[in-house]
């Protein structure tokens, strides 16, 4: 009986030790690293889908290449561009401006200003998160000029982009 009791105690202790070691190994991976504005600098490809919650606006998908400066502003002079697919087909949409920000908590937000066939449209990105690897973000938002139009935006950093 005594031998069995000591085996149980050893098993309990080793179980706690194993759990503790696993916790120590995985805690750093579970914690979100702090973020700052520099984390957005570089070239991003964004994909978005806009849908009118009332059904009065044509749905559209947009793919953009956005060059973000260290301060989060979209560089409209150096290669930022978008393509939009809507009921009329695929069209190139000039990027008129905008900017992104990231908070220490890795919350992402911002605006993308586009000159579409329907006029100037601003996509307000208001609920987003920069991933732990700081190479992707996912967000939701809306079109400022038509607030019933909601959108989902995903961003992927260009692998060749200088961070």
């Amino acid at each position: 009986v005594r031998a069995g009791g000591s085996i149980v105690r050893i098993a309990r202790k080793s179980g706690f030790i194993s759990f503790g070691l696993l916790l120590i190994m995985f805690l750093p991976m579970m914690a979100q690293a702090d973020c700052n504005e520099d984390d957005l600098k570089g070239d991003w490809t964004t994909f978005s889908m806009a849908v009118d919650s009332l059904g009065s606006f044509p749905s559209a998908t947009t793919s953009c290449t956005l060059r973000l400066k260290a301060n989060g502003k979209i560089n409209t002079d150096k290669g930022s561009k978008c393509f939009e697919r809507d009921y009329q087909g695929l069209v190139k949409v000039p990027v008129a401006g905008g900017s992104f920000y990231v908070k220490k908590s890795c919350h992402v937000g911002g605006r993308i200003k586009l000159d579409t066939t329907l006029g100037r449209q601003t996509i307000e990105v208001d609920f987003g998160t920069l991933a732990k690897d700081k190479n992707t973000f996912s967000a939701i938002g809306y079109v400022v000029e038509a607030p019933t139009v909601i959108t989902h935006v995903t961003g992927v950093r260009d692998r060749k982009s200088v961070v």
Side-chain angles (χ1 to χ4, degrees):
V1 172
R2 184 169 165 82
S6 63
I7 290 173
V8 169
R9 274 193 301 252
I10 291 170
R12 279 190 196 147
K13 285 182 182 177
S14 67
F16 285 125
I17 291 169
S18 297
F19 177 73
L21 288 174
L22 285 173
L23 195 58
I24 290 169
M25 285 177 12
F26 288 109
L27 265 179
M29 290 190 285
M30 294 186 319
Q32 177 73 25
D34 286 348
C35 293
N36 61 58
E37 288 294 328
D38 283 343
D39 293 331
L40 293 179
K41 180 183 175 187
D43 297 346
W44 292 81
T45 301
T46 61
F47 306 95
S48 65
M49 169 96 176
V51 178
D52 187 354
S53 59
L54 299 178
S56 60
F57 183 85
S59 298
T61 58
T62 306
S63 174
C64 298
T65 299
L66 302 175
R67 303 192 97 167
L68 299 183
K69 299 177 184 179
N71 63 2
K73 290 192 184 287
I74 297 172
N75 190 341
T76 56
D77 299 334
K78 302 243 179 183
S80 292
K81 61 185 175 206
C82 295
F83 291 92
E84 182 175 85
R85 179 170 297 283
D86 62 11
Y87 67 98
Q88 296 175 353
L90 184 65
V91 293
K92 185 175 180 179
V93 179
V95 178
S99 63
F100 280 85
Y101 66 85
V102 62
K103 293 184 178 180
K104 185 178 179 182
S105 63
C106 297
H107 169 84
V108 174
R111 288 183 166 203
I112 306 170
K113 296 178 183 178
L114 304 173
D115 287 331
T116 71
T117 56
L118 299 173
R120 171 70 51 90
Q121 292 190 345
T122 305
I123 299 172
E124 178 79 24
V125 178
D126 52 5
F127 297 105
T129 302
L130 185 62
K132 289 179 188 179
D133 65 6
K134 300 183 181 178
N135 289 316
T136 59
F137 70 84
S138 185
I140 57 173
Y142 65 97
V143 176
V144 173
E145 295 78 10
T148 61
V149 178
I150 54 177
T151 185
H152 178 267
V153 180
T154 300
V156 179
R157 184 187 303 277
D158 184 337
R159 289 179 183 225
K160 296 176 274 182
S161 181
V162 177
V163 180

